[in-house]
Amino acid sequence: MTQLRKWNVSFFCLAVILFSAFQSVTADEPPRVYQNRLQLIKNPKPLLADHPTFVQPIEEVRRYAAPILVDEEGADLSVRAWRFSYNARGIIEMPNRLRADKTAVIMVHPWGIDDGQGWRTPEPAGVCDFCTPTKNHLAAQHTRTVIDPFLKQMRPQVSLVMFSLIAPVDPIRKKLYRTFDYQPTEEERAEAKEQLKARLDSLPYKGQPLIEKLTLSSDRPVIDYFRQFPGLMSGDQYNGAGFWNVPVPVTADVTVHKDDVLIFDQEGYAPLKKFLNKHGIRHILLTGYATDMCFCKTTAGYENLSKDFNVFLVGDATLATFPANSSPRYATNAHISFASINHLITQVSWIKKLDK
C-alpha cells in the first residue's frame, strides 16, 4: 500500500509538471524561423538626420534592408529600426510592428536642474548633470525640442510613460508623482510642489573656489596634478554640503501627466521589471540622458531592460555628455553607434501609428 501511495504521488506530480509545461508552451505563440536575408540599400539617406544640432547624422558605406523582426498580431505601432554588424560589414535596417498597449516609453534621468524649480548648479565651480549651466541649458533645449513633443505624441497610444530619477524614495516625490504603488491626489501634488520648492530653496548653492595651489613632486608632476585637480569633482568641496540630499524633480522642460510613473533608481531593477511585467509590457522605447552613462547603466538603462524586453533606443531623443566640446552631436553619434552593435536604434520620425 505504501509503495502504491508513492506511485500515485509521483504520477500526480508528473501530471502537474506536464500540465504546467503544456500551459507555458500554449500561452505564447510558437517560435518562428527568421529568414536573415539582407538586401543592399542603394543610395541610402543618413540616419538620425532630423536634429543635426543635437546629433550628428550617421553615415555608413554599406546599408542593408532585412525582413520584419517584431511582428505582433494586432499591431498598431510601426517602429523602423537599425543596428550595426561588423560581420555583415554594415548597417542593417528592419521594420517592426508592435502593439502600443504592450509598449512603454521611458525617459532616463530628466533631472530638474537649472530649470527654475530651485535646484541649480552651485557656484563658482560646482557640477551637476551635464556639468555646467551652459551645457544644462542646451540639454533643456533638446528636451523641449525633441523629447517633450515625442512624449506628447506617444502618451495617448502607449501603455505607460515613465521617468527615472536619482536618490531614494522620499515623501515629497511620492506625493508629487505617480509611483509603482501609489497615485497621489491633486491636493497632495499641490502640497508636495510647495514642499519641493521650500526644500530646494533651502540650499545655499555655494562651494569653494577652484584650488589655487598644488604640491607637485619633481619626477611625477602629472600624477600629482590630476590627483589633486581631477576633471570632475562633484562632492562637498565644490557643490556644498547637502547638494545631493534633495528630492530631485523631473525637469520643468518636459510635460508630466498625472498617470506618468516615476522610477526611483535606488530601488534597483527588480521592482521596475516586476511593474512592467504586471502591466503586460513587452516593448520599451528608451529616451533620455546621458547616452554614455545613465542611459545605458542605471536602473532603467538599456543594459538592464534589454535582458527582459524588446528595447528600441530612440537615437535622436538622447544626448551624450560632451566634455571639451560646445555641442553634444558628435559624442551622441559615437555612443549611439557603439550601442548599435548589440541594440536596435530608431528615431522619432520612424515611430508611427499603424492603420489597422
Side-chain angles (χ1 to χ4, degrees):
M1 183 65 70
T2 301
Q3 188 66 33
L4 180 61
R5 186 179 296 112
K6 289 181 179 178
W7 287 346
N8 288 338
V9 170
S10 299
F11 178 78
F12 176 75
C13 292
L14 178 61
V16 170
I17 292 171
L18 290 174
F19 179 72
S20 300
F22 175 76
Q23 278 193 317
S24 65
V25 170
T26 56
D28 298 322
E29 295 181 6
R32 79 183 200 271
V33 175
Y34 182 75
Q35 302 294 338
N36 193 30
R37 297 187 302 269
L38 305 182
Q39 184 175 354
L40 192 66
I41 301 175
K42 296 181 179 179
N43 303 317
K45 295 180 180 180
L47 300 167
L48 301 181
D50 296 333
H51 301 282
T53 301
F54 303 112
V55 184
Q56 178 68 16
I58 288 176
E59 301 183 66
E60 180 43 89
V61 174
R62 187 174 296 176
R63 293 246 297 273
Y64 297 101
I68 189 168
L69 183 58
V70 180
D71 191 13
E72 282 191 299
E73 184 72 26
D76 52 1
L77 194 63
S78 171
V79 182
R80 189 168 182 83
W82 60 273
R83 51 79 54 101
F84 176 78
S85 168
Y86 279 112
N87 301 102
R89 310 288 198 266
I91 283 173
I92 302 170
E93 298 179 30
M94 71 281 289
N96 297 274
R97 292 161 45 89
L98 319 180
R99 282 179 53 178
D101 64 343
K102 301 297 180 182
T103 303
V105 180
I106 297 179
M107 184 178 183
V108 176
H109 283 194
W111 294 3
I113 182 77
D114 298 326
D115 65 342
Q117 295 187 82
W119 203 45
R120 56 189 184 272
T121 301
E123 296 296 345
V127 293
C128 181
D129 203 10
F130 283 86
C131 294
T132 73
T134 300
K135 294 179 186 294
N136 287 343
H137 290 317
L138 192 150
Q141 181 187 354
H142 175 263
T143 301
R144 294 190 300 269
T145 305
V146 182
I147 297 185
D148 192 42
F150 176 63
L151 296 185
K152 288 178 179 177
Q153 169 193 329
M154 299 308 301
R155 192 174 278 115
Q157 303 178 55
V158 299
S159 180
L160 293 168
V161 172
M162 309 179 76
F163 305 98
S164 70
L165 288 175
I166 57 170
V169 179
D170 61 273
I172 292 179
R173 291 186 296 180
K174 283 286 287 188
K175 292 190 300 182
L176 189 59
Y177 307 109
R178 176 190 172 191
T179 54
F180 292 167
D181 57 0
Y182 191 66
Q183 173 73 280
T185 64
E186 291 302 318
E187 292 76 14
E188 287 175 318
R189 291 176 189 267
E191 180 185 9
K193 192 172 182 178
E194 293 182 2
Q195 293 173 341
L196 175 70
K197 186 178 187 307
R199 180 72 183 88
L200 296 180
D201 286 344
S202 69
L203 295 180
Y205 298 100
K206 295 289 289 185
Q208 298 177 27
L210 290 178
I211 187 170
E212 293 184 353
K213 294 182 179 180
L214 289 74
T215 302
L216 306 180
S217 61
S218 59
D219 60 339
R220 300 288 192 277
V222 173
I223 295 174
D224 297 331
Y225 173 83
F226 280 105
R227 182 182 293 124
Q228 297 170 64
F229 186 32
L232 181 60
M233 297 175 66
S234 59
D236 291 352
Q237 179 178 350
Y238 292 130
N239 280 36
F243 177 79
W244 296 105
N245 299 324
V246 298
V248 177
V250 174
T251 176
D253 297 297
V254 72
T255 305
V256 180
H257 190 272
K258 64 182 180 65
D259 290 326
D260 295 346
V261 181
L262 181 64
I263 302 164
F264 289 101
D265 263 2
Q266 204 155 317
E267 288 191 302
Y269 176 61
L272 172 59
K273 176 185 174 182
K274 181 179 179 181
F275 183 81
L276 292 171
N277 284 331
K278 176 183 175 182
H279 286 79
I281 300 300
R282 290 198 286 262
H283 321 294
I284 306 291
L285 303 175
L286 196 65
T287 73
Y289 310 109
T291 322
D292 50 323
M293 295 188 291
C294 311
F295 192 67
C296 53
K297 294 186 178 298
T298 54
T299 293
Y302 62 74
E303 289 184 2
N304 276 333
L305 290 167
S306 61
K307 294 180 290 188
D308 302 291
F309 304 93
N310 301 315
V311 178
F312 300 84
L313 312 186
V314 188
D316 50 3
T318 180
L319 289 184
T321 58
F322 49 112
N325 284 276
S326 61
S327 169
R329 59 182 183 265
Y330 294 104
T332 306
N333 174 302
H335 288 286
I336 279 292
S337 297
F338 187 78
S340 73
I341 295 173
N342 288 307
H343 301 276
L344 291 180
I345 315 299
T346 187
Q347 57 194 60
V348 170
S349 61
W350 280 10
I351 301 171
K352 300 177 180 179
K353 188 174 183 179
L354 275 174
D355 293 328
K356 292 187 178 181

mmCIF file of all heavy atoms in Angstrom, residues 192-212:
data_model
loop_
_atom_site.group_PDB
_atom_site.id
_atom_site.type_symbol
_atom_site.label_atom_id
_atom_site.label_comp_id
_atom_site.label_asym_id
_atom_site.label_seq_id
_atom_site.Cartn_x
_atom_site.Cartn_y
_atom_site.Cartn_z
ATOM 1 N N ALA A 192 2.884 68.863 -2.261
ATOM 2 C CA ALA A 192 4.249 68.390 -2.492
ATOM 3 C C ALA A 192 5.046 69.398 -3.319
ATOM 4 O O ALA A 192 6.253 69.566 -3.118
ATOM 5 C CB ALA A 192 4.214 67.039 -3.203
ATOM 6 N N LYS A 193 4.390 70.067 -4.251
ATOM 7 C CA LYS A 193 5.079 71.061 -5.071
ATOM 8 C C LYS A 193 5.614 72.200 -4.209
ATOM 9 O O LYS A 193 6.746 72.680 -4.407
ATOM 10 C CB LYS A 193 4.131 71.595 -6.142
ATOM 11 C CG LYS A 193 4.815 72.419 -7.217
ATOM 12 C CD LYS A 193 3.853 72.759 -8.342
ATOM 13 C CE LYS A 193 4.580 73.543 -9.441
ATOM 14 N NZ LYS A 193 3.667 73.854 -10.572
ATOM 15 N N GLU A 194 4.821 72.643 -3.239
ATOM 16 C CA GLU A 194 5.273 73.690 -2.320
ATOM 17 C C GLU A 194 6.402 73.187 -1.436
ATOM 18 O O GLU A 194 7.376 73.919 -1.170
ATOM 19 C CB GLU A 194 4.097 74.174 -1.470
ATOM 20 C CG GLU A 194 3.021 74.901 -2.255
ATOM 21 C CD GLU A 194 1.904 75.401 -1.364
ATOM 22 O OE1 GLU A 194 2.001 75.206 -0.128
ATOM 23 O OE2 GLU A 194 0.926 75.979 -1.883
ATOM 24 N N GLN A 195 6.285 71.944 -0.959
ATOM 25 C CA GLN A 195 7.335 71.365 -0.129
ATOM 26 C C GLN A 195 8.633 71.206 -0.913
ATOM 27 O O GLN A 195 9.726 71.436 -0.379
ATOM 28 C CB GLN A 195 6.874 70.011 0.421
ATOM 29 C CG GLN A 195 5.735 70.104 1.406
ATOM 30 C CD GLN A 195 5.193 68.736 1.801
ATOM 31 O OE1 GLN A 195 5.409 67.741 1.101
ATOM 32 N NE2 GLN A 195 4.496 68.679 2.923
ATOM 33 N N LEU A 196 8.515 70.831 -2.177
ATOM 34 C CA LEU A 196 9.697 70.679 -3.018
ATOM 35 C C LEU A 196 10.411 72.012 -3.191
ATOM 36 O O LEU A 196 11.640 72.097 -3.046
ATOM 37 C CB LEU A 196 9.299 70.119 -4.384
ATOM 38 C CG LEU A 196 10.420 70.013 -5.414
ATOM 39 C CD1 LEU A 196 11.411 68.919 -5.016
ATOM 40 C CD2 LEU A 196 9.866 69.733 -6.810
ATOM 41 N N LYS A 197 9.661 73.062 -3.481
ATOM 42 C CA LYS A 197 10.264 74.379 -3.667
ATOM 43 C C LYS A 197 10.992 74.827 -2.407
ATOM 44 O O LYS A 197 12.126 75.330 -2.467
ATOM 45 C CB LYS A 197 9.197 75.400 -4.060
ATOM 46 C CG LYS A 197 9.772 76.779 -4.426
ATOM 47 C CD LYS A 197 8.689 77.731 -4.862
ATOM 48 C CE LYS A 197 9.289 79.038 -5.386
ATOM 49 N NZ LYS A 197 10.227 79.662 -4.437
ATOM 50 N N ALA A 198 10.348 74.642 -1.261
ATOM 51 C CA ALA A 198 10.969 75.036 0.002
ATOM 52 C C ALA A 198 12.249 74.237 0.250
ATOM 53 O O ALA A 198 13.259 74.792 0.709
ATOM 54 C CB ALA A 198 9.984 74.852 1.150
ATOM 55 N N ARG A 199 12.213 72.945 -0.065
ATOM 56 C CA ARG A 199 13.386 72.098 0.167
ATOM 57 C C ARG A 199 14.534 72.494 -0.749
ATOM 58 O O ARG A 199 15.687 72.594 -0.331
ATOM 59 C CB ARG A 199 13.014 70.637 -0.059
ATOM 60 C CG ARG A 199 14.152 69.650 0.160
ATOM 61 C CD ARG A 199 14.472 69.508 1.644
ATOM 62 N NE ARG A 199 15.600 68.627 1.847
ATOM 63 C CZ ARG A 199 16.866 69.010 1.857
ATOM 64 N NH1 ARG A 199 17.175 70.294 1.653
ATOM 65 N NH2 ARG A 199 17.837 68.148 2.060
ATOM 66 N N LEU A 200 14.247 72.725 -2.028
ATOM 67 C CA LEU A 200 15.297 73.081 -2.970
ATOM 68 C C LEU A 200 15.848 74.483 -2.696
ATOM 69 O O LEU A 200 17.040 74.736 -2.875
ATOM 70 C CB LEU A 200 14.767 72.992 -4.398
ATOM 71 C CG LEU A 200 14.340 71.598 -4.880
ATOM 72 C CD1 LEU A 200 13.826 71.662 -6.311
ATOM 73 C CD2 LEU A 200 15.474 70.596 -4.759
ATOM 74 N N ASP A 201 14.992 75.393 -2.255
ATOM 75 C CA ASP A 201 15.432 76.759 -1.965
ATOM 76 C C ASP A 201 16.233 76.847 -0.668
ATOM 77 O O ASP A 201 16.842 77.891 -0.395
ATOM 78 C CB ASP A 201 14.220 77.700 -1.878
ATOM 79 C CG ASP A 201 13.629 78.018 -3.243
ATOM 80 O OD1 ASP A 201 14.311 77.778 -4.247
ATOM 81 O OD2 ASP A 201 12.472 78.489 -3.286
ATOM 82 N N SER A 202 16.235 75.771 0.120
ATOM 83 C CA SER A 202 16.923 75.811 1.416
ATOM 84 C C SER A 202 18.439 75.720 1.290
ATOM 85 O O SER A 202 19.159 76.026 2.246
ATOM 86 C CB SER A 202 16.417 74.676 2.307
ATOM 87 O OG SER A 202 16.841 73.401 1.803
ATOM 88 N N LEU A 203 18.946 75.300 0.131
ATOM 89 C CA LEU A 203 20.393 75.160 -0.042
ATOM 90 C C LEU A 203 21.017 76.485 -0.469
ATOM 91 O O LEU A 203 20.399 77.276 -1.178
ATOM 92 C CB LEU A 203 20.695 74.096 -1.101
ATOM 93 C CG LEU A 203 20.288 72.656 -0.789
ATOM 94 C CD1 LEU A 203 20.656 71.752 -1.955
ATOM 95 C CD2 LEU A 203 20.947 72.156 0.487
ATOM 96 N N PRO A 204 22.278 76.719 -0.065
ATOM 97 C CA PRO A 204 22.952 77.973 -0.464
ATOM 98 C C PRO A 204 23.502 77.928 -1.887
ATOM 99 O O PRO A 204 23.758 78.975 -2.479
ATOM 100 C CB PRO A 204 24.096 78.089 0.547
ATOM 101 C CG PRO A 204 24.400 76.676 0.932
ATOM 102 C CD PRO A 204 23.062 75.956 0.919
ATOM 103 N N TYR A 205 23.724 76.718 -2.433
ATOM 104 C CA TYR A 205 24.297 76.531 -3.769
ATOM 105 C C TYR A 205 25.628 77.263 -3.916
ATOM 106 O O TYR A 205 25.908 77.907 -4.920
ATOM 107 C CB TYR A 205 23.306 76.966 -4.858
ATOM 108 C CG TYR A 205 22.043 76.148 -4.825
ATOM 109 C CD1 TYR A 205 20.885 76.639 -4.227
ATOM 110 C CD2 TYR A 205 22.005 74.850 -5.338
ATOM 111 C CE1 TYR A 205 19.728 75.872 -4.157
ATOM 112 C CE2 TYR A 205 20.869 74.080 -5.273
ATOM 113 C CZ TYR A 205 19.726 74.590 -4.679
ATOM 114 O OH TYR A 205 18.591 73.816 -4.602
ATOM 115 N N LYS A 206 26.431 77.126 -2.881
ATOM 116 C CA LYS A 206 27.764 77.741 -2.880
ATOM 117 C C LYS A 206 28.782 76.681 -2.469
ATOM 118 O O LYS A 206 28.553 75.891 -1.557
ATOM 119 C CB LYS A 206 27.845 78.917 -1.905
ATOM 120 C CG LYS A 206 26.955 80.094 -2.265
ATOM 121 C CD LYS A 206 27.461 80.835 -3.483
ATOM 122 C CE LYS A 206 28.727 81.613 -3.224
ATOM 123 N NZ LYS A 206 29.139 82.419 -4.389
ATOM 124 N N GLY A 207 29.903 76.688 -3.166
ATOM 125 C CA GLY A 207 31.011 75.806 -2.825
ATOM 126 C C GLY A 207 32.303 76.588 -2.817
ATOM 127 O O GLY A 207 32.323 77.811 -3.021
ATOM 128 N N GLN A 208 33.387 75.892 -2.583
ATOM 129 C CA GLN A 208 34.688 76.552 -2.558
ATOM 130 C C GLN A 208 35.131 76.914 -3.976
ATOM 131 O O GLN A 208 34.724 76.282 -4.949
ATOM 132 C CB GLN A 208 35.723 75.624 -1.911
ATOM 133 C CG GLN A 208 35.420 75.260 -0.467
ATOM 134 C CD GLN A 208 36.435 74.294 0.101
ATOM 135 O OE1 GLN A 208 37.586 74.266 -0.341
ATOM 136 N NE2 GLN A 208 36.025 73.507 1.084
ATOM 137 N N PRO A 209 35.982 77.932 -4.098
ATOM 138 C CA PRO A 209 36.551 78.247 -5.410
ATOM 139 C C PRO A 209 37.560 77.189 -5.825
ATOM 140 O O PRO A 209 37.939 76.322 -5.017
ATOM 141 C CB PRO A 209 37.230 79.599 -5.183
ATOM 142 C CG PRO A 209 37.549 79.613 -3.726
ATOM 143 C CD PRO A 209 36.432 78.863 -3.049
ATOM 144 N N LEU A 210 37.977 77.223 -7.067
ATOM 145 C CA LEU A 210 38.969 76.268 -7.550
ATOM 146 C C LEU A 210 40.228 76.319 -6.696
ATOM 147 O O LEU A 210 40.644 77.387 -6.230
ATOM 148 C CB LEU A 210 39.335 76.563 -9.010
ATOM 149 C CG LEU A 210 38.282 76.286 -10.075
ATOM 150 C CD1 LEU A 210 38.816 76.688 -11.445
ATOM 151 C CD2 LEU A 210 37.875 74.823 -10.073
ATOM 152 N N ILE A 211 40.822 75.162 -6.505
ATOM 153 C CA ILE A 211 42.067 75.083 -5.758
ATOM 154 C C ILE A 211 43.144 75.924 -6.448
ATOM 155 O O ILE A 211 43.273 75.907 -7.681
ATOM 156 C CB ILE A 211 42.510 73.604 -5.627
ATOM 157 C CG1 ILE A 211 43.708 73.486 -4.701
ATOM 158 C CG2 ILE A 211 42.770 72.971 -6.985
ATOM 159 C CD1 ILE A 211 44.041 72.041 -4.335
ATOM 160 N N GLU A 212 43.868 76.698 -5.661
ATOM 161 C CA GLU A 212 44.839 77.638 -6.234
ATOM 162 C C GLU A 212 46.271 77.126 -6.194
ATOM 163 O O GLU A 212 47.081 77.467 -7.063
ATOM 164 C CB GLU A 212 44.759 78.979 -5.493
ATOM 165 C CG GLU A 212 43.449 79.707 -5.716
ATOM 166 C CD GLU A 212 43.440 81.073 -5.052
ATOM 167 O OE1 GLU A 212 44.394 81.383 -4.312
ATOM 168 O OE2 GLU A 212 42.476 81.825 -5.273
#
